[in-house]
Amino acid sequence: MASGVYVGYSDQVLRDVFDIPGWGIAYVVGLSVLAEAAALFPLLLVSDRWQPLRPRALATLAWITSGALVLGALWQLVVAFTVESQTYMSSDTALTVWWLAFAPLFAIPVLMTAVTWSYAKRHRVRGQA
C-alpha cells in the first residue's frame, strides 16, 4: 500500500482517507515494523539459547501481552459483528481477499498464550529445582 501496489482501494480513497502519498506512508511502514517486532517477541520465549536476566519478569510481560492480545481479538470480533463500517474496498473480490488474509490473525492470541504458558512452566520448574 505504501509502495503504490494496488490493494483494493481507489486512488481517491488512498489520498483522502489514508493520506497516501503523504504521512499515511509513514504510518503504514511504522505499523509494519511494529508488527514484525511483535511477531519476533515469542522467539524470546521458545529459544533456550538466549537466557534473560530475569525470566520471571519476562514471563509476566508475556502474560500481560497475551492477555492484551486476547482482549484485542475479542474486541475486534465485537466490533466486526456490531458496528456497521465502511471498508472503502472497491470490489467484493478485494474484500474477500482481505478477509482471507486477515482471518488467520485471530490465531495469534491463542498461540501466544500457549507459548507463554510453556515458558512460564519451564522457568517455574527450573526455579524450584
Side-chain angles (χ1 to χ4, degrees):
M1 187 167 159
S3 64
V5 174
Y6 179 72
V7 292
Y9 298 108
S10 68
D11 289 338
Q12 181 182 0
V13 169
L14 287 174
R15 249 187 334 274
D16 297 342
V17 176
F18 297 108
D19 196 24
I20 292 177
W23 284 103
I25 293 173
Y27 172 75
V28 170
V29 171
L31 196 58
S32 297
V33 169
L34 179 67
E36 289 300 320
L40 293 173
F41 178 68
L43 292 177
L44 295 174
L45 303 176
V46 298
S47 174
D48 286 334
R49 293 182 190 175
W50 182 81
Q51 294 295 324
L53 296 176
R54 301 181 57 162
R56 290 191 187 263
L58 184 61
T60 302
L61 177 64
W63 279 117
I64 291 169
T65 303
S66 181
L69 286 170
V70 168
L71 288 175
L74 291 174
W75 177 251
Q76 289 300 315
L77 286 174
V78 167
V79 168
F81 289 113
T82 60
V83 175
E84 191 174 322
S85 67
Q86 187 175 3
T87 63
Y88 301 109
M89 287 287 180
S90 60
S91 70
D92 288 338
T93 305
L95 188 60
T96 302
V97 169
W98 186 87
W99 273 105
L100 289 173
F102 284 99
L105 292 177
F106 285 105
I108 291 173
V110 176
L111 296 172
M112 182 65 186
T113 302
V115 168
T116 301
W117 178 78
S118 173
Y119 178 83
K121 183 178 173 185
R122 278 183 295 151
H123 285 279
R124 184 174 47 243
V125 170
R126 286 183 188 170
Q128 293 174 354

